[in-house]
């Protein structure tokens, strides 16, 4: 039976370390830029990466793929500070972090923060080098 208040009720399993460790991957990728076309390209690259990884049998959470449509739909906040708590919890339950090595990833405030969090939680980190974007179509 569903609990009446999911905000205050946390099932005991929620607090166990990486309960879905063999299944869930976290895809870190850059997003923020002073240029909207760069952010659009980065969003589409993350979507394509999630699609290709899913086709290969992985269960992938991408904070960019998840949050950008929510912000565009009117959810307040788009900065890393607003998403850190959410991303930290997802990382806690992932078996590994995949870093999408597209232009801007190494200087991304969000990606670097996610890497620090993953390292602090003992989450293995792997770099995903996508083929040329045309090959992902």
């Amino acid at each position: 039976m569903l609990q009446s208040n999911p905000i205050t009720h946390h099932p005991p399993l929620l607090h166990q370390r990486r309960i879905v460790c063999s299944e869930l991957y976290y895809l870190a990728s850059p997003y923020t830029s002073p240029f909207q076309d760069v952010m659009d390209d980065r969003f589409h690259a993350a979507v394509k990466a999630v699609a290709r990884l899913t086709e290969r049998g992985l269960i992938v959470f991408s904070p960019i793929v998840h949050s950008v449509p929510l912000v565009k739909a009117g959810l307040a906040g788009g900065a890393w500070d607003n998403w850190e708590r959410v991303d930290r919890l997802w990382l806690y339950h992932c078996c590994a972090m995949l870093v999408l090595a597209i232009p801007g990833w190494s200087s991304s405030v969000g990606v670097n923060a996610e890497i620090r969090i993953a390292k602090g939680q003992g989450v293995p980190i792997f770099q995903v080098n996508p083929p040329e974007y045309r090959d992902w179509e």
Side-chain angles (χ1 to χ4, degrees):
M1 177 164 66
L2 293 176
Q3 297 294 321
S4 59
N5 188 345
I7 302 300
T8 59
H9 175 75
H10 300 284
L13 286 180
L14 187 62
H15 298 290
Q16 292 181 5
R17 180 76 167 129
R18 294 195 192 106
I19 59 173
V20 291
C21 182
S22 64
E23 298 290 326
L24 185 61
Y25 293 83
Y26 184 104
L27 180 70
S29 60
Y31 179 68
T32 303
S33 167
F35 307 104
Q36 185 61 49
D37 60 332
V38 171
M39 293 195 310
D40 292 344
D41 288 347
R42 290 174 175 179
F43 173 74
H44 292 296
V47 169
K48 288 178 184 178
V50 170
R52 298 307 169 259
L53 293 165
T54 300
E55 286 173 345
R56 289 169 173 80
L58 299 180
I59 298 171
V60 181
F61 170 75
S62 164
I64 299 306
V65 173
H66 178 78
S67 64
V68 169
L70 295 174
V71 171
K72 288 184 179 186
L75 182 65
W80 163 249
D81 293 344
N82 297 322
W83 292 101
E84 180 180 3
R85 182 179 65 86
V86 173
D87 295 349
R88 187 178 291 273
L89 184 60
W90 275 105
L91 272 167
Y92 184 79
H93 291 289
C94 287
C95 63
M97 171 192 272
L98 308 174
V99 178
L100 185 60
I102 59 174
W105 79 267
S106 62
S107 60
S108 168
V109 171
V111 170
N112 281 294
E114 290 163 322
I115 289 170
R116 281 191 303 278
I117 292 167
K119 285 181 178 179
Q121 293 181 359
V123 176
I125 303 166
F126 301 94
Q127 184 172 317
V128 175
N129 294 310
E132 293 298 319
Y133 293 153
R134 67 179 181 275
D135 295 337
W136 285 53
E137 297 295 336

